[in-house]
Amino acid sequence: MNLKSKFTPQSWPEHPELSTAEGKNKVVGFWIFLGGETVLFATLFATFLALKNKGPSGMEFTTQNLFELPLAFIMTMLLLTSSLTSVYAMYHMKNYNFKGMQAWLAITVLLGLGFLGLEIYEFTHYVHEGFTFSQSAFGSSFYTLVGTHGLHVVIGLAWIVLLMVRNAGRGLNLYNAPKYFIASLYWHFIDVVWVFIFTVVYLMGVIK
Amino acid sequence: MSHDVHVEARSEEEYKYNRRKASQAMRNQVTVFAIMIFLTFVAFATVQAGFSAFLVVPLILLFAGVQVALQLYYFMHLSEKGTGIMQFFMYSGMIVAFTMILAFVTIIWW
Amino acid sequence: MSSTAKKKGFGATIWDYLTTVDHKKIAILYLLAGTLFFVIGGIEAMLIRIQLAKPDNDFVSAGLFNEIITMHGTTMIFLAAMPLLFAFMNAVVPLQIGARDVAFPFLNSLGFWLFFWGGIFLNLSWFLGGAPDAGWTSYASLSLASAGHGIDFYAVGLQIAGAGTLISGINFIVTIVNMRAPGMTFMRMPLMTWTTFIASALILFAFPPLTIGLFFLIFDRMFGSNFFDHTMGGNTIIWEHLFWIFGHPEVYILVLPAFGIYSEIIPVFARKRLFGYSSMVFATILIGFLGFMVWAHHMFTVGLGATANAIFAIATMAIAVPTGMKVFNWLCTMWGGSIKVTTPMLYALGFIPSFVAGGVTGVMQAAAPVDYQLHDSYFIVAHFHYVIVGGIVLALLAATHFYWPIMFNRMLNETLGKITFVFFFIGFHLTFFIQHFLGLMGMPRRVFTYLPNQGLDTFNLISTVGAFFMAIGVILLVINVIITSIKGQPCGRDPWGDGRTLEWAIPQPIPFYNFKQTPLVRGLDTFWIEKMEGNKEGMSYAEPISDIHMPNNSFIPFVMVIGLFVAGFGALYNQDADKPWSLVALIVGLAITLGAMIVRSLKDDLGYHIHKEDLLNDKGGNE
């Protein structure tokens, strides 16, 4: 039995991501990395909260007149749904259903792309209104916080796509199962951060 | 050494039991998802309805906390056994994060 | 690879080290690179002391002096102290817990090369238009106003090096969580492993704020953002918070492994088990936790308000409690022991009073009103040098002597080692003790000169003389290392005679797979237990001899880092209109890094096996 052996659904272990030493290391290591990411995003949130609505004297942009809730709501729904679809993908991974997993991951990627498209639309919209990265401290901190999250979405999408392409011909084995698993952890974490972004940046931003 | 692959052969019965358990767990995940969608919806609705900020802000922060807990414990499987060390590091990170945010909203001013 | 020849050519050795993923070789790389930067930082320190030896000196100009103090601090903290500690962690921790390697050997190599090229990047600033000159803290208003590219080198260089540190930190945590041998429970782990674990956790949480702070600085200076510019709504205090949220835990990242080193040395040479093991562990965790709650004591004079100052003052004083526990535990370990005064033990003995002195002045500054008087004076300089030199550098020197047999199968010369200690220790106190009084007399830190006849002349001269004593000590150590490399004889297993933990039980030279059979750990100080029971092999085993799985060497980490190094230059010169090549460098560099990452992802890297038959032949797999 080695890392590249083929399995049947019956011989496939219940926790394929934890069946090898490498897999255990990857999963624990990735969770610890997420602990660090928590602090990283906290830093960005803290800076945003400190610099919210701060700019050169007479700046007309505030969170109240800038943000639009319907757009944020649609983005939230897209990302939340993509979180569920990646849960489905992992469900099929544990059942040794490679095709099912790839299909659900493809849906996840599409939803993620939709989210990304809306975010790009939102940013270009703000830039056209004159609210840019260098226009004010508010702008800098907003684009850095939401942009870093957007960058994570890009990385997550690239990661999942790369995994899907590289393993398309190889199928599931104990070498790549942990890779799929931590990619899905990353995707959930992106959603976790977004929950705080829509709450703290958008919802708390528009409250009068 | 631990680098070897340990795979136990499962009996037909065991396999079927596990499959049933997994699909049961998947149904739970969908329920969790429904709760998250509901919480999101309520959060947006209370803000749109224009209630007092003193009511809305704690409420939506609470909802965000619940949603994140659901994500971590169900979608990311932190509720399973053997995740103690991961929880330890996540909670430590959250303590540092909380301290930092508290400091930035209280002792940074002009 | 498994098929390396016994006697290798020079080129093959270089290639081996460029591609190695073996923690023992990476430890040697850290030691070499850390020593290089330690010497550079030391030369900068000597230039500072020469400039300040007499009043109205013009040995260096004011601007150059600023660059020297900035680079001295930055180099010593990021590029000397941390890598040297990483060297000993890498060399010792996997052996102590009975592991064949770290959890992620590939990332271990990546972490080293990130640190190394980040450090080179930072130091290249000397030749490319001037070094950073805003102090190692690089406070934002000052660093935004600094002309030239010095600060850009600081920000980009530390960004690269910091990424390496973060990767190494995660690697150590996972290694300690997942790779312990059977029987090695958490409460049987040697203190060096415990302190590495906690220090790595601090790295995990402290480096992200630094990363973000540096990004803000890079964005403000290079890409037109306004985080720190108050005319655009920014706030310069944010940098100070971010820097110290990183910077204070950083002190504990450095000092906890140093504590771990002393906690290994003292029981060995007192020939007694460590007093209060569990309270030592508890104190380590508590220091790590409190380390995150005290950063604003660096900012008492900013004007945070009386409430904030009071909270942070009390939290700071609280750290003295677990630290005091540790000091008493060390003393009680020695009490009644049959002490053998070797060179490492001498350093440990010298450490305790020196560090206590540094700790006491720390508690003095924790009182906010007193800090208003002491802030930015030489008292502060004296304090943190007592902590860092008296605590960490003495630990590094002690560990150099103590662990040299493990890393190189040679003993450093003991007599020369003791002479080194005398010079270094006397020089250290001569340099820094007097600086307390300079500070109390009102000499501000970071000034490039002072006027004569203000009562500062003699004390500054004494301080400079002390610095030369320290330099002599370091030179003696280097001579010692050279002599040992040329003339030293293999010293074999457990050369100190009283090793207690697993790393001393392994036959020398340590095979590249560390343990032929995974050991079974039967208690705290497992090697000591086996020795007391007359086990000649020094280990009980948890498994029969079987095939060993090993990771492949890889050149990819090096390529990834070179890509980032090139991209760093691109980002740095991007703001200059006259350097259109910078954008090309940025894109090409990032493309190299991404390409290397994609290659790494697409290729299966399954490692290889050392077969049981090879392990059983005479050479034990060392072909």
Side-chain angles (χ1 to χ4, degrees):
Chain A
M1 187 86 39
N2 72 39
L3 287 173
K4 317 253 320 225
S5 307
K6 292 276 178 225
F7 287 83
T8 62
Q10 190 169 339
S11 68
W12 185 243
E14 205 184 333
H15 285 288
E17 75 277 9
L18 298 174
S19 296
T20 58
E22 285 82 1
K24 275 182 209 139
N25 286 344
K26 279 204 172 77
V27 173
V28 171
F30 200 76
W31 268 108
I32 287 164
F33 169 73
L34 291 183
E37 286 262 276
T38 306
V39 178
L40 186 129
F41 274 103
T43 314
L44 292 170
F45 274 107
T47 310
F48 173 78
L49 288 172
L51 295 178
K52 183 169 138 178
N53 294 338
K54 300 283 178 4
S57 53
M59 180 180 74
E60 80 257 44
F61 298 112
T62 61
T63 52
Q64 275 92 354
N65 61 29
L66 206 55
F67 297 151
E68 287 161 22
L69 282 191
L71 190 67
F73 184 74
I74 297 169
M75 288 165 78
T76 308
M77 285 301 151
L78 283 178
L79 212 54
L80 274 181
T81 312
S82 79
S83 208
L84 180 75
T85 56
S86 83
V87 171
Y88 266 112
M90 286 309 105
Y91 169 70
H92 287 300
M93 189 268 273
K94 291 190 176 177
N95 286 342
Y96 201 67
N97 177 354
F98 182 67
K99 288 223 174 74
M101 178 185 74
Q102 295 277 81
W104 279 108
L105 284 180
I107 299 172
T108 308
V109 169
L110 287 181
L111 289 167
L113 284 174
F115 173 87
L116 207 60
L118 286 182
E119 185 153 270
I120 292 168
Y121 163 77
E122 187 198 1
F123 280 10
T124 47
H125 177 68
Y126 293 154
V127 170
H128 276 297
E129 284 187 15
F131 179 67
T132 63
F133 182 60
S134 44
Q135 180 267 341
S136 62
F138 173 35
S140 303
S141 62
F142 169 77
Y143 284 111
T144 313
L145 169 58
V146 183
T148 305
H149 177 264
L151 182 69
H152 277 68
V153 174
V154 172
I155 294 171
L157 289 176
W159 187 2
I160 293 174
V161 169
L162 197 64
L163 271 178
M164 287 169 63
V165 172
R166 113 178 254 287
N167 292 313
R170 300 178 206 213
L172 259 181
N173 55 38
L174 289 180
Y175 179 68
N176 58 31
K179 294 174 188 262
Y180 277 108
F181 186 78
I182 58 171
S184 90
L185 282 184
Y186 190 71
W187 194 254
H188 290 306
F189 184 76
I190 289 171
D191 204 25
V192 164
V193 174
W194 181 257
V195 167
F196 280 112
I197 290 185
F198 86 67
T199 305
V200 173
V201 177
Y202 292 97
L203 289 182
M204 280 166 66
V206 297
I207 293 172
K208 294 282 187 305
Chain B
M1 177 60 191
S2 48
H3 283 279
D4 302 331
V5 179
H6 300 289
V7 178
E8 287 171 26
R10 290 185 289 184
S11 69
E12 186 66 27
E13 289 302 307
E14 206 182 347
Y15 167 64
K16 279 190 179 144
Y17 171 73
N18 284 339
R19 274 303 270 266
R20 249 197 334 273
K21 219 173 52 180
S23 67
Q24 180 70 44
M26 192 60 228
R27 271 200 294 282
N28 282 343
Q29 301 279 36
V30 178
T31 316
V32 166
F33 175 72
I35 296 171
M36 283 162 46
I37 293 287
F38 174 73
L39 289 178
T40 310
F41 196 79
V42 174
F44 274 90
T46 46
V47 172
Q48 282 294 48
F51 294 127
S52 152
F54 291 102
L55 173 70
V56 176
V57 171
L59 195 70
I60 60 177
L61 283 177
L62 177 72
F63 284 179
V66 172
Q67 274 209 48
V68 165
L70 290 176
Q71 281 268 0
L72 290 173
Y73 279 92
Y74 290 93
F75 283 12
M76 296 167 85
H77 305 286
L78 262 194
S79 57
E80 286 171 14
K81 271 191 206 133
T83 54
I85 212 79
M86 301 135 172
Q87 296 194 37
F88 171 76
F89 278 97
M90 283 307 279
Y91 280 112
S92 306
M94 286 179 208
I95 291 172
V96 175
F98 176 77
T99 316
M100 198 183 334
I101 291 172
L102 185 69
F104 272 56
V105 294
T106 51
I107 56 176
I108 291 185
W109 68 79
W110 276 245
Chain C
M1 305 293 275
S2 60
S3 54
T4 42
K6 184 86 188 168
K7 189 74 188 165
K8 274 181 297 198
F10 182 69
T13 311
I14 296 281
W15 178 252
D16 188 31
Y17 274 90
L18 286 180
T19 60
T20 189
V21 293
D22 180 352
H23 71 96
K24 298 180 288 299
K25 286 181 179 160
I26 290 174
I28 293 172
L29 287 174
Y30 268 119
L31 189 69
L32 286 173
T35 308
L36 169 74
F37 289 121
F38 182 75
V39 169
I40 293 173
I43 291 170
E44 283 153 3
M46 296 313 293
L47 296 178
I48 294 170
R49 279 324 314 172
I50 292 170
Q51 164 64 20
L52 292 174
K54 61 179 179 149
D56 273 337
N57 202 355
D58 57 358
F59 176 70
V60 294
S61 69
L64 184 57
F65 186 85
N66 285 346
E67 294 176 20
I68 293 173
I69 58 161
T70 303
M71 287 301 282
H72 167 69
T74 315
T75 306
M76 283 302 198
I77 297 281
F78 290 98
L79 308 179
M82 287 226 293
L84 288 171
L85 287 169
F86 274 148
F88 297 118
M89 291 173 178
N90 260 308
V92 174
V93 168
L95 304 180
Q96 276 193 336
I97 61 175
R100 296 226 163 91
D101 206 326
V102 290
F104 305 110
F106 181 89
L107 289 186
N108 204 7
S109 157
L110 181 63
F112 169 76
W113 291 112
L114 279 169
F115 138 69
F116 181 71
W117 287 106
I120 295 288
F121 190 91
L122 182 56
N123 274 282
L124 280 178
S125 61
W126 285 115
F127 309 105
L128 297 171
D133 56 359
W136 89 285
T137 55
S138 205
Y139 274 12
S141 303
L142 190 58
S143 55
L144 288 187
S146 169
H149 282 304
I151 301 295
D152 305 334
F153 274 104
Y154 170 93
V156 177
L158 286 190
Q159 199 71 278
I160 297 174
T165 309
L166 186 59
I167 287 173
S168 307
I170 293 176
N171 200 352
F172 276 119
I173 296 174
V174 181
T175 305
I176 293 168
V177 169
N178 272 359
M179 308 280 282
R180 284 168 290 129
M184 178 63 83
T185 58
F186 271 104
M187 287 314 272
R188 284 178 185 174
M189 289 193 324
L191 248 287
M192 177 72 182
T193 302
W194 256 114
T195 51
T196 300
F197 182 58
I198 300 298
S200 302
L202 296 188
I203 288 175
L204 176 71
F205 298 128
F207 269 73
L210 177 73
T211 306
I212 295 298
L214 287 173
F215 268 129
F216 288 171
L217 190 60
I218 290 172
F219 289 165
D220 266 17
R221 279 183 62 93
M222 304 180 204
F223 301 106
S225 67
N226 300 299
F227 291 102
F228 307 128
D229 180 359
H230 70 98
T231 61
M232 301 296 275
N235 191 335
T236 182
I237 301 300
I238 287 175
W239 168 268
E240 294 189 27
H241 277 293
L242 291 182
F243 187 85
W244 288 118
I245 288 171
F246 149 76
H248 197 79
E250 169 70 11
V251 179
Y252 296 108
I253 293 167
L254 295 174
V255 87
L256 285 179
F259 287 171
I261 289 167
Y262 296 121
S263 305
E264 298 291 323
I265 290 173
I266 292 174
V268 167
F269 296 113
R271 288 181 268 192
K272 235 177 111 211
R273 69 169 274 183
L274 186 68
F275 186 91
Y277 171 84
S278 41
S279 70
M280 277 302 223
V281 171
F282 174 68
T284 308
I285 298 170
L286 198 59
I287 291 174
F289 176 76
L290 287 174
F292 275 99
M293 307 295 151
V294 298
W295 76 88
H297 67 214
H298 298 269
M299 301 164 61
F300 280 152
T301 56
V302 161
L304 304 170
T307 316
N309 277 4
I311 291 169
F312 282 105
I314 290 165
T316 306
M317 291 175 192
I319 292 193
V321 177
T323 316
M325 275 159 69
K326 280 182 171 279
V327 170
F328 282 112
N329 281 336
W330 288 317
L331 293 175
C332 292
T333 307
M334 286 188 265
W335 190 334
S338 146
I339 296 175
K340 203 158 57 170
V341 184
T342 58
T343 310
M345 190 62 180
L346 256 184
Y347 280 109
L349 291 171
F351 149 78
I352 292 177
S354 312
F355 188 80
V356 167
V360 167
T361 52
V363 176
M364 287 168 71
Q365 291 154 40
V370 180
D371 187 65
Y372 268 77
Q373 303 301 315
L374 301 175
H375 192 83
D376 262 350
S377 77
Y378 257 81
F379 193 87
I380 305 292
V381 177
H383 156 71
F384 68 69
H385 280 97
Y386 258 77
V387 177
I388 289 182
V389 182
I392 297 150
V393 178
L394 290 184
L396 291 171
L397 296 174
T400 306
H401 287 270
F402 189 57
Y403 287 128
W404 202 264
I406 293 226
M407 293 177 78
F408 299 100
N409 193 19
R410 304 276 189 282
M411 284 283 258
L412 288 173
N413 186 312
E414 274 291 283
T415 319
L416 207 48
K418 283 173 185 161
I419 298 172
T420 306
F421 170 79
V422 170
F423 271 102
F424 195 87
F425 194 71
I426 293 176
F428 157 61
H429 282 285
L430 210 54
T431 310
F432 296 111
F433 189 70
I434 207 117
Q435 290 184 0
H436 290 111
F437 300 103
L438 281 173
L440 292 174
M441 286 149 75
M443 181 166 165
R445 67 190 278 206
R446 290 176 173 147
V447 290
F448 92 107
T449 193
Y450 50 93
L451 293 174
N453 304 319
Q454 292 185 327
L456 306 175
D457 310 14
T458 323
F459 283 9
N460 267 304
L461 183 63
I462 292 172
S463 185
T464 301
V465 171
F468 276 96
F469 273 80
M470 277 200 277
I472 293 170
V474 174
I475 291 168
L476 284 177
L477 179 65
V478 173
I479 292 172
N480 197 347
V481 167
I482 293 170
I483 292 177
T484 308
S485 312
I486 296 171
K487 286 193 170 170
Q489 296 300 316
C491 61
R493 188 177 80 171
D494 194 16
W496 298 108
D498 295 298
R500 308 178 71 86
T501 39
L502 212 44
E503 76 268 30
W504 303 106
I506 307 170
Q508 282 282 2
I510 299 172
F512 63 95
Y513 47 81
N514 293 356
F515 296 93
K516 199 185 284 183
Q517 290 160 277
T518 303
L520 176 71
V521 177
R522 298 197 295 142
L524 188 64
D525 292 343
T526 170
F527 183 37
W528 187 259
I529 293 174
E530 302 289 349
K531 274 198 280 195
M532 289 302 108
E533 294 183 0
N535 181 347
K536 287 273 181 296
E537 281 192 63
M539 270 190 255
S540 302
Y541 302 109
E543 56 166 21
I545 296 184
S546 56
D547 290 4
I548 294 175
H549 178 264
M550 295 297 290
N552 286 327
N553 280 4
S554 176
F555 190 52
I556 294 176
F558 192 85
V559 177
M560 275 187 200
V561 177
I562 291 297
L564 279 183
F565 185 73
V566 172
F569 278 105
L572 188 122
Y573 287 117
N574 196 28
Q575 48 194 323
D576 297 1
D578 61 328
K579 296 195 178 70
W581 52 264
S582 61
L583 193 64
V584 181
L586 183 62
I587 293 168
V588 169
L590 288 179
I592 293 173
T593 304
L594 274 177
M597 286 165 81
I598 289 173
V599 169
R600 169 74 182 165
S601 311
L602 293 182
K603 244 176 49 182
D604 281 346
D605 185 11
L606 299 172
Y608 63 94
H609 282 87
I610 313 168
H611 295 292
K612 190 177 163 183
E613 301 78 57
D614 296 328
L615 286 172
L616 284 172
N617 72 22
D618 300 343
K619 295 168 202 151
N622 271 331
E623 288 123 88

